[in-house]
Amino acid sequence: MQTEFLTGNEVVVKAALSAGARLMFGYPITPSTEITKTFAEEAIKNPRLLFIQTEDEISAGFGVIGAILGGKKSFTSTAGPGTVLMQDPISMAEAMRLPFVGIITQRGGPSTGTVIYSQQEVNLTCFGGNGEGLRIVYSPSNLQEVYDLTIKTFNNAWKYRFPSFLLTDGYLAKAKSKVEIYEPSYLSTTKQILGDAKKIVNIRNTYSTEEELAKILDKYINEYEQISKHIRDYESYHCTDAKTIIFAHGSVASACRAACSQLKRVGLFRPITLRPFPEYEAKMIARRADKVIIVESSAGQFSRMVKNAIFGVKTVVLEYQKPALGITPEEIIGLLK
Amino acid sequence: MIPKCYKKENLPHKFCPGCGYGVILKSLGSVIDHLKIANKSVIGLDIGCGLLAWNLFDVDTIQTHHGRTTPTMAGFKFAKPEAIVLAIMGDGGGYAIGLQSLLHSAHRNDPITVILVNNTLYAMTGGQMAPTTLANEITDTTPKGRDSEKTGLPFLGPEIIATLTNKQAYIARASIRSPLQVESCIEKAIKNQMRGKGFSFVEVLSICPTNWKTNAEESFKFLEKMEDVFVLGEIKKP
């Protein structure tokens, strides 16, 4: 184990390499670009790595799929309009149960928006595509978690074969901090899906009848529900005797945590996985409080998930939403004092 | 002769009666048999009529999204350089929605083999204008014939791709009128990949009696018209 002073995007590459990533396909877009740059630099030094700069995000995503079919851990990173285009390959990965790994570095939207920050890619990352959102999505709130959860993203993608994502933002991507870099104690194994001479496979994503597709979807949805209990993750902070519970994720949760430490009887519930969502735990915590306040840098993308999870709970629910704007501990303190 | 690499249990194939795909896939099957590469090859199939071949071969296949077969198979090749990687697509998949990827794959000289079937229209969706539609040709979306003043002239894929590739590329155009020519071009394209040379591309002119609404004789007459616009032969070879 060693401590290094790194930016969030550099941490992603360190973690991807620790997790066994061999190929990266990418297209430059702020604020994710340093991930491609750093991986390209690593690939120069290490002949076992390959970086391919593609013509667009669609091609990057399908390149990742091709490499995964060949049995290699592979990933891409993108943001904003790139996340929109990326839904094309992600949807195929979802249909074919491929261990697609994407690092989504949120920027302001809609459209080109800003290049800096938002929490507006929650919907797209969790539920984008023309399917049911059978995906695993981690939302880290500090750089150490960027390292830890990137490794988990790769491990769970290959273990459970659902497309998996690390959902960061420009603040996390560009911030620099001390991070402990270690060899993971567990690494998921890989499997060559196509081109393994031992067995012929014919893989498709087009079905002839509604019933044929429905049968496969039922199976996948059922499997997703089964594995959810092993993946769902959350942090509760100062919640034991709290009257007010803040619900927040990612960078915003980091600000809320700082606020909680200075406020009396205010706790934080932070889903670490947005998909699958820790619904049961969210409901139990919300039930005990007098008041729940859902805080996010979007106009309700996260709030809808929380409200869905705690449906039926009588606790008062308030919302504090600043789409595409950062949120500081001071304003949370001002809000709840 | 039915190729050995066909899955006999999945015959007859699912293509319309008279479809040119039968000739093209049989030619590819013969090449795979001849080169004894069934267990080293992977075939990517685009969306379009080509996807109907998803379980025709006793060879690993993957059916992708419309226009995305080139980047998927290039990605596979990067991960497994020893595999023989084939991408099959139509003129809509390759020259319209997937053109950006096709051109860049050629430009990078990715060592894969692309077989593109040109029947001058989108056949799977019932016959709409494709980049390859001939001037004045009637399709669903050009009910009075393709107006080339407003919608352009037929897209010359191999000629354009030839300008982007390096000297190692193999680029040809064949017609199902001559199955032997189709077979020969496909074999050379695959051998180019096996020699580690680089990008190889064969456009095959094909017939679509269903959407053209032609009988056998008329279909081959229209193919003759296509051959006047799309010149047959090897456009580039190392």
Side-chain angles (χ1 to χ4, degrees), chain A residues 182-323:
Chain A
Y182 53 85
E183 286 295 315
S185 56
Y186 163 78
L187 282 184
S188 58
T189 53
T190 58
K191 183 176 166 265
Q192 192 173 339
I193 298 159
L194 194 71
D196 180 351
K198 290 191 279 294
K199 193 179 152 224
I200 299 293
V201 290
N202 301 122
I203 311 171
R204 62 172 168 162
N205 57 57
T206 312
Y207 299 92
S208 307
T209 66
E210 292 92 317
E211 290 76 11
E212 212 179 356
L213 173 61
K215 205 173 147 189
I216 286 168
L217 279 178
D218 276 352
K219 181 172 177 276
Y220 289 180
I221 292 165
N222 188 35
E223 280 174 24
Y224 186 81
E225 280 166 7
Q226 290 300 316
I227 64 150
S228 289
K229 55 178 176 283
H230 306 298
I231 301 169
R232 280 196 306 260
D233 201 0
Y234 68 96
E235 182 199 6
S236 61
Y237 178 72
H238 285 193
C239 284
T240 321
D241 60 348
K243 286 193 161 184
T244 301
I245 301 286
I246 302 172
F247 277 72
H249 76 100
S251 299
V252 173
S254 185
C256 294
R257 199 179 200 279
C260 283
S261 63
Q262 294 183 48
L263 289 163
K264 279 195 187 119
R265 304 194 77 179
V266 177
L268 168 71
F269 183 83
R270 173 174 78 93
I272 294 171
T273 54
L274 294 179
R275 284 287 287 156
F277 199 89
E279 292 186 353
Y280 175 78
E281 296 82 0
K283 199 166 193 169
M284 288 302 113
I285 280 203
R287 183 172 281 163
R288 289 206 310 262
D290 294 343
K291 192 166 74 180
V292 156
I293 176 160
I294 308 166
V295 182
E296 64 183 305
S297 296
S298 121
Q301 296 190 25
F302 174 64
S303 181
R304 281 192 286 276
M305 296 173 94
V306 175
K307 286 190 284 188
N308 187 47
I310 66 172
F311 180 75
V313 169
K314 302 261 180 331
T315 313
V316 174
V317 176
L318 303 172
E319 293 168 308
Y320 186 67
Q321 299 171 347
K322 293 177 76 180

Side-chain angles (χ1 to χ4, degrees), chain B residues 37-73:
Chain B
I37 53 170
N39 62 353
K40 291 180 214 156
S41 302
V42 292
I43 303 174
L45 298 156
D46 213 67
I47 297 298
C49 295
L51 73 85
L52 297 173
W54 77 277
N55 63 354
L56 180 65
F57 288 96
D58 206 18
V59 173
D60 277 11
T61 62
I62 179 153
Q63 174 241 306
T64 76
H65 281 185
H66 194 35
R68 314 306 178 212
T69 307
T70 309
T72 306
M73 300 322 284

